Amino acid sequence: VALYKSVPTRLLSRAWGRLNQVELPTWLRKPVYSLYIWTFGVNMKEAAVEDLHHYRNLSEFFRRKLKPQARPVCCLHSVISPSDGKILNFGQVKNCEVEQVKGVTYSLESFLGPRICTEELHFTQAPPGNSFQQQLVTKQGNELYHCVIYLAPGDYHCFHSPTDWRVSHRRHFPGSLMSVNPGVARWIKELFCHNERVVLTGDWKHGFFSLTAVGATNVGSIRIYFDQDLHTNSPRYSKGSYNDFSFISNNNKEGIPMRKGEHLGEFNLGSTIVLIFEAPKDFKFHLKAGQKIRFGEALGSL
């Protein structure tokens, strides 16, 4: 593990990112993309543009858009999957720890960082709890839930809003870019806390809601469409540092309203989405660990 952590994954990811942006000759595009499609099982029939010659470089191909009808958004359930991927874990948050894969946990506070000033959030402040987890729960009788979705290299790389909510704050943690493949996640404790990530926090009708995009090897680029100030995988950073940005201002008291299914951001290869949110005790997930899921399908509801 120590040897793997010493690999310069950020530098390698930046080099890979630049290689991805090199324009390929037209004659080379089809064989290169066809090899990728075969290796990772990409379904190009779902792509908005099926013609491989259309994609000038690997980066454009990774970030391909889908046909509108390819991912219908479930209207019956309150929380949908924000992306294509594989369900690694889900359930109630217990003892201020969250499972990244079965049996391997990470600290909730290390992952999200210190609690954000409640003045930025639209819900009423709960009495101070004994733990970080209790402080996030703003309404009596509610629980804190989590869901981890792993995006493989062959998956659709855009992610969307999982519910109707308001984004009030962004916290960017520069960090390592180790692989988040489930096999690696099993032997590196707190992997998600080591890796670069972008934490979006705000509120939905039941209280606290957050979506975190976790970077990985060759995924130095995490893009949030409404956040032009966000720049990930910069050459210099201090270990354990983070920077905050508030979407609440004198001109904008509401933050960024997001509708369920609305485009939110994209990765440049494949990575992980972690949802941590507050909901009443009768919230139920409609999932099985290890199952494949597609953007728009139900995660859970009341």
Side-chain angles (χ1 to χ4, degrees):
V1 171
L3 182 64
Y4 179 59
K5 286 181 178 179
S6 70
V7 174
T9 51
R10 292 175 65 82
L11 179 63
L12 291 172
S13 296
R14 280 197 298 277
W16 177 253
R18 287 179 182 171
L19 181 65
N20 283 354
Q21 291 169 3
V22 173
E23 186 166 337
L24 296 175
T26 307
W27 62 270
L28 191 58
R29 293 174 190 177
K30 190 168 183 179
V32 169
Y33 302 146
S34 294
L35 177 62
Y36 187 91
I37 289 165
W38 178 79
T39 303
F40 296 110
V42 177
N43 183 2
M44 282 305 291
K45 291 182 179 178
E46 298 177 334
V49 180
E50 294 184 45
D51 181 12
L52 297 180
H53 295 105
H54 168 79
Y55 302 100
R56 293 173 297 176
N57 52 46
L58 279 165
S59 182
E60 283 190 4
F61 179 71
F62 293 147
R63 296 180 289 109
R64 65 194 176 277
K65 298 296 187 284
L66 299 183
K67 293 169 182 170
Q69 66 273 21
R71 296 288 185 276
V73 173
C74 176
C75 300
L76 300 176
H77 299 276
S78 52
V79 183
I80 61 166
S81 177
S83 66
D84 287 10
K86 179 182 180 181
I87 301 294
L88 294 190
N89 225 299
F90 63 92
Q92 279 190 22
V93 176
K94 295 178 180 177
N95 303 320
C96 295
E97 290 201 328
V98 182
E99 283 192 312
Q100 58 191 25
V101 292
K102 190 170 180 62
V104 182
T105 63
Y106 55 91
S107 158
L108 184 64
E109 187 167 8
S110 296
F111 182 68
L112 295 178
R115 191 159 182 246
I116 298 155
C117 176
T118 51
E119 290 176 5
E120 292 186 4
L121 305 178
H122 293 263
F123 39 81
T124 56
Q125 183 176 6
N130 295 326
S131 69
F132 183 80
Q133 178 179 336
Q134 290 171 317
Q135 290 174 27
L136 292 179
V137 177
T138 64
K139 297 180 181 179
Q140 195 168 4
N142 280 4
E143 297 286 348
L144 207 61
Y145 297 87
H146 79 284
C147 183
V148 183
I149 305 167
Y150 167 69
L151 289 75
D155 286 328
Y156 166 59
H157 301 310
C158 296
F159 50 93
H160 301 247
S161 177
T163 193
D164 295 337
W165 64 307
R166 290 180 290 191
V167 184
S168 56
H169 189 272
R170 178 259 291 158
R171 176 169 283 160
H172 171 217
F173 290 84
S176 300
L177 287 170
M178 292 181 282
S179 171
V180 291
N181 182 286
V184 176
R186 285 188 185 93
W187 50 269
I188 300 184
K189 184 175 171 59
E190 298 211 326
L191 170 63
F192 294 166
C193 299
H194 290 302
N195 269 16
E196 179 145 9
R197 61 197 180 280
V198 176
V199 182
L200 300 177
T201 53
D203 62 297
W204 71 318
K205 59 184 177 181
H206 300 297
F208 174 80
F209 199 96
S210 73
L211 180 149
T212 302
V214 183
T217 307
N218 300 336
V219 194
S221 173
I222 302 170
R223 183 181 171 201
I224 305 296
Y225 294 137
F226 57 74
D227 188 352
Q228 301 304 312
D229 296 320
L230 175 66
H231 301 288
T232 57
N233 196 9
S234 55
R236 294 182 182 179
Y237 79 101
S238 301
K239 191 173 182 178
S241 66
Y242 61 85
N243 56 74
D244 288 338
F245 184 84
S246 174
F247 299 110
I248 305 291
S249 65
N250 292 331
N251 297 326
N252 178 15
K253 302 288 187 185
E254 295 296 311
I256 309 293
M258 296 297 300
R259 304 294 297 173
K260 184 166 67 172
E262 187 176 349
H263 275 88
L264 183 54
E266 63 188 36
F267 292 112
N268 238 344
L269 190 57
S271 194
T272 300
I273 296 282
V274 180
L275 302 179
I276 297 173
F277 59 93
E278 174 184 0
K281 288 182 178 178
D282 55 352
F283 182 87
K284 300 291 182 191
F285 283 103
H286 305 291
L287 302 171
K288 292 181 181 177
Q291 80 171 72
K292 290 286 288 181
I293 198 163
R294 305 203 302 177
F295 155 60
E297 294 177 347
L299 284 186
S301 63
L302 297 163

